Amino acid sequence: KPDGTRKARSCLDGSERSAPWLRAFVKTYAASLSYPGLRLFCALCALQGKIAVFGDTENAFQQSPPPVKNCYVRIDDAYKSWFEKRYGRVLEWDKYVIPLQRALQGHPEAGVLWANKINGIIGQELGLRSTVHEPTLYSGTVDGESVLMARQVDDYAIGVADVDLGERLIKILDSKVTTASKGSGVHIEGKGLYYRYDGVDIFQTRDYIRLSAETY
C-alpha cells in the first residue's frame, strides 16, 4: 500500500490447464471497461459539464458470494503458521481442507460473482442502468440530477455536476461493499485535476478532459 503496509492476497489457479472440469460447469464471463468506453465516458462528462469523482472497492472478490460449485482449499505452510499464531492451535494439514465462503481471486467464477453483486447494488441502490453494448457504463437520474458511471471491476468513475452527490453515491456503495472515495484527483498547475484511472492519465480542466498515457 502507499503507506508501506504489506498486503497479503490469496489466489488460486483456476485456469483451463488446472481446472478444465470446473470451467465446463460454471459461468466465467464478466464484462470489463474498454478503452473506447472510457473515452466515451470522459467525452460525455465534458459535453455535459460534469466532474468525475473516483472510488475503489477494497478486496472486491472477498466481498462476493461463494462459488456455485463447492470449492475447497488445501492447507499450506503459510496458512498453518497463520492459524497457529492467530488461534494457538496446530492444524493437521493432511486431515483438513478449507471451504470457500467467498469468491477467491483466480477462481473461474470470481469475476462474474463480483459483477453480478456490484451490478445489483448499482442498479438497486444507486438507480443506475448499464448500457447494452458497454455493460460497465451506467447512467441514470439521482435527486433530479443526471449521473454517469464507468466501472472497471472494482474501480469507479462517477460523472456528476456536484461533487457532493458523487461522494454521497460512493458512501452508498460503501454501505454495501467496503469502498473508499479517491476524490476528483490532485490539482496540477496548468493541467487541472489529475487522476490515474485504469492505467490512463485523466486531466479534468475547466474547458475539456484530456486522456493520455504519459505515466505509462
Side-chain angles (χ1 to χ4, degrees):
K1 292 184 178 181
D3 63 0
T5 303
R6 293 194 174 189
K7 181 178 180 180
R9 187 182 297 277
S10 298
C11 303
L12 59 80
D13 183 359
S15 65
E16 291 185 15
R17 174 190 60 78
S18 175
W21 59 271
L22 176 60
R23 300 177 75 91
F25 289 100
V26 299
K27 293 182 179 179
T28 61
Y29 175 77
S32 61
L33 181 65
S34 68
Y35 185 60
L38 176 58
R39 289 173 62 92
L40 177 60
F41 168 80
C42 291
L44 288 172
C45 283
L47 182 67
Q48 298 177 15
K50 299 186 184 302
I51 186 169
V53 179
F54 302 93
D56 176 27
T57 294
E58 183 176 346
N59 296 326
F61 291 160
Q62 294 177 28
Q63 301 188 63
S64 304
V68 173
K69 296 289 184 181
N70 291 338
C71 185
Y72 302 87
V73 179
R74 207 166 43 212
I75 294 173
D76 62 7
D77 290 338
Y79 186 87
K80 181 180 176 182
S81 173
W82 170 83
F83 192 91
E84 183 177 355
K85 291 177 180 177
R86 180 72 179 268
Y87 297 105
R89 186 157 66 92
V90 177
L91 285 177
E92 298 179 70
W93 62 269
D94 57 336
K95 291 185 178 180
Y96 300 99
V97 290
I98 306 168
L100 287 185
Q101 301 298 327
R102 295 287 187 273
L104 188 63
Q105 187 165 337
H107 191 284
E109 284 187 275
V112 70
L113 288 170
W114 165 250
N116 289 340
K117 177 167 185 173
I118 191 61
N119 281 332
I121 293 171
I122 292 172
Q124 295 169 19
E125 303 297 329
L126 304 187
L128 304 182
R129 186 174 64 178
S130 64
T131 60
V132 174
H133 299 294
E134 191 75 47
T136 55
L137 290 182
Y138 310 81
S139 64
T141 302
V142 179
D143 295 342
E145 297 286 344
S146 66
V147 174
L148 303 170
M149 176 189 281
R151 177 181 65 84
Q152 179 60 295
V153 187
D154 54 4
D155 293 315
Y156 318 93
I158 305 175
V160 287
D162 180 5
V163 172
D164 289 341
L165 175 58
E167 295 289 354
R168 185 150 56 88
L169 295 178
I170 291 174
K171 284 185 178 180
I172 294 174
L173 289 174
D174 185 45
S175 70
K176 301 299 179 180
V177 287
T178 305
T179 303
S181 171
K182 301 299 181 180
S184 294
V186 178
H187 179 74
I188 297 180
E189 191 67 32
K191 290 189 175 182
L193 291 171
Y194 166 76
Y195 188 82
R196 191 162 188 245
Y197 180 78
D198 196 25
V200 178
D201 298 325
I202 299 179
F203 295 92
Q204 301 187 81
T205 77
R206 185 188 63 181
D207 302 309
Y208 58 86
I209 297 176
R210 180 168 71 89
L211 306 183
S212 79
E214 291 179 20
T215 301
Y216 177 78

